[in-house]
Amino acid sequence: MSDIFLIGSHVSMSGPKYFLGSVLEAINDGANTLMFYTGSPQCNKRTDISKCKIEEGKELMKQNGIDINNIVCHAPYLINIATPLNTEKHDYAENFLLSELNRCHAFGAKLLVLHPGCHIGQGKEVGIQNIIFSLNKILGNIDFDITICLETMAGKGSECGSSLEEIKEIINGVRYKDRIGVCIDTCHLNDAG
């Protein structure tokens, strides 16, 4: 990452300009970085990478001094790796997260923000252990440079990661510490108390 002060926002990515449009929006906002989803955050439908105008977006970033190492993807909300292990929901979450990591890599992003997940009645300790299990499994099966940044959560319902202590517990259990980071959502932390 560069030594300059980075400022950007969460920009949209939709057709027909896709990633090129995301970069244009960031530039029009006067930003020198950006965060985006590789598809809708509420569903699993994804536009084929070949149609996302990635190279055009990268070229525009280069022309405007935006370092690709500073851009951030945000994982879809549907990914919940805290769910019970060995279930269809958990397998779905792991596969979707792996797919998103591969999409991020195709865009050149090295950071993916992830909501840790909801334990859905199992209790936080079990949910946290499921998150650790999945992060170790997934990070052990990719061979490219990317960091998963665990976002602090508000603690609604059965959310895991609503305190820095819970985030620390997850990080302590992950073997690939060089591939784990933290996204501090101040609004979420405030809501969590």
Side-chain angles (χ1 to χ4, degrees):
M1 305 250 175
S2 71
D3 294 336
I4 60 172
F5 185 72
L6 299 173
I7 189 162
S9 64
H10 207 152
V11 295
S12 64
M13 189 184 87
S14 59
K17 292 185 180 178
Y18 294 102
F19 187 57
L20 176 61
S22 301
V23 175
L24 281 166
E25 184 177 342
I27 291 166
N28 288 337
D29 290 343
N32 59 358
T33 189
L34 58 128
M35 179 189 280
F36 64 100
Y37 294 99
T38 74
S40 170
Q42 287 98 3
C43 76
N44 62 3
K45 185 179 179 201
R46 295 288 177 264
T47 300
D48 188 272
I49 287 291
S50 65
K51 297 178 181 174
C52 288
K53 301 190 186 264
I54 295 172
E55 293 310 314
E56 295 95 323
K58 286 180 180 179
E59 182 57 34
L60 188 60
M61 286 191 328
K62 188 186 291 185
Q63 291 169 8
N64 287 273
I66 298 176
D67 185 345
I68 196 158
N69 293 307
N70 296 332
I71 67 170
V72 182
C73 285
H74 196 299
Y77 304 133
L78 296 177
I79 295 173
N80 183 6
I81 55 175
T83 58
L85 299 178
N86 303 313
T87 63
E88 190 175 314
K89 284 184 179 182
H90 194 85
D91 291 345
Y92 169 84
E94 285 186 345
N95 290 331
F96 199 0
L97 178 53
L98 184 58
S99 171
E100 283 299 300
L101 288 165
N102 281 298
R103 286 178 67 83
C104 289
H105 180 62
F107 280 89
K110 301 210 181 330
L111 299 167
L112 174 74
V113 171
L114 174 69
H115 291 186
C118 296
H119 63 76
I120 55 172
Q122 306 170 95
K124 282 199 177 189
E125 281 306 312
V126 173
I128 287 171
Q129 290 309 308
N130 294 347
I131 293 165
I132 292 167
F133 173 85
S134 291
L135 290 174
N136 282 324
K137 178 180 175 183
I138 291 165
L139 290 172
N141 285 311
I142 57 173
D143 61 356
F144 48 85
D145 181 24
I146 194 158
T147 299
I148 296 176
C149 299
L150 302 170
E151 183 174 339
T152 55
M153 302 308 297
K156 328 181 276 223
S158 62
E159 287 179 340
C160 297
S162 59
S163 70
L164 294 177
E165 290 78 16
E166 288 177 16
I167 296 291
K168 180 182 177 187
E169 185 178 347
I170 296 167
I171 292 170
N172 284 344
V174 175
R175 291 189 299 272
Y176 307 93
K177 291 185 183 12
D178 59 328
R179 291 179 160 187
I180 290 289
V182 179
C183 171
I184 296 178
D185 186 314
T186 55
C187 182
H188 285 169
L189 283 180
N190 182 64
D191 288 349

